[in-house]
Amino acid sequence: MQGDPMTTIAYRDGILAADSRATYGEDGSARVHTCKKLFRKTVTQGKKTFDVIIATAGESSPGMVFVDWYGTGKPIPDIFLHLGGDFICLVLTPQGLFEYDVYCRAEEVIDDFYAIGSGAKVALGAMACGKSAIEAVRIAARFDPYTGGRINSESLVKAEVSRGGKKVVR
């Protein structure tokens, strides 16, 4: 797969977690802003329709082209074939977790936990010590300057979450 995108995305126990910091530039002129890196999408393959969660890391524009393309059944976007793009996407499906890069070829991840991005090593170490995907990204944010902001998470399982005493189905 490709390089080391500036972010941390972690997977464990059916949960994808990601930071929300976008960083542009690696020198003293870097700029940051808050962005979304997890996307829920309904796709149809054959006669089956199901939700997937796509996590994007790396260059944001090619990553968003991948999000738009995934599950459409269309050929790989020409932009990837001609211009490339330094991104990695993790796709959580009912069949498992898959990693994609600019070649749009799925590589199944069969590990119990997994992480990508500049904070991946810290996140993997945290999960090896029993931390959740959310905790792993939070810990990576303490040590990786390209990981930060709010930690967001998604699961394919709809769960009741307590917010201020009210139960919310998500």
Side-chain angles (χ1 to χ4, degrees):
M1 295 289 158
Q2 299 264 332
D4 197 21
M6 296 183 274
T7 191
T8 304
I9 297 172
Y11 169 80
R12 178 176 215 152
D13 299 328
I15 296 172
L16 273 170
D19 71 309
S20 58
R21 176 176 289 164
T23 307
Y24 298 94
E26 296 183 46
D27 58 12
S29 65
R31 58 189 170 85
V32 300
H33 70 85
T34 302
C35 70
K36 182 177 178 180
K37 298 178 184 179
L38 299 176
F39 302 90
R40 181 179 291 271
K41 187 172 183 178
T42 302
V43 299
T44 301
Q45 290 180 350
K47 294 182 179 182
K48 294 185 179 185
T49 299
F50 52 89
D51 282 355
V52 300
I53 299 165
I54 304 172
T56 62
E59 289 182 279
S60 58
S61 293
M64 294 311 301
V65 170
F66 178 87
V67 170
D68 293 343
W69 166 80
Y70 183 84
T72 64
K74 296 179 181 176
I76 296 171
D78 283 342
I79 193 167
F80 294 154
L81 302 173
H82 300 294
L83 298 177
D86 187 13
F87 73 95
I88 297 173
C89 287
L90 291 181
V91 181
L92 181 59
T93 75
Q95 294 77 36
L97 181 68
F98 299 87
E99 182 174 332
Y100 291 82
D101 63 11
V102 71
Y103 299 105
C104 299
R105 171 66 172 84
E107 182 176 319
E108 186 174 9
V109 176
I110 56 175
D111 299 318
D112 292 335
F113 53 87
Y114 191 65
I116 60 172
S118 55
K121 290 179 183 178
V122 174
L124 287 167
M127 290 187 288
C129 291
K131 300 296 185 184
S132 70
I134 297 164
E135 293 168 315
V137 175
R138 190 171 290 120
I139 291 167
R142 291 178 51 202
F143 299 99
D144 176 42
Y146 303 111
T147 300
R150 182 174 179 191
I151 310 304
N152 298 302
S153 65
E154 288 281 346
S155 169
L156 290 176
V157 178
K158 294 188 187 227
E160 285 189 353
V161 178
S162 179
R163 292 198 180 142
K166 296 180 181 179
K167 288 193 176 181
V168 178
V169 176
R170 60 176 196 121

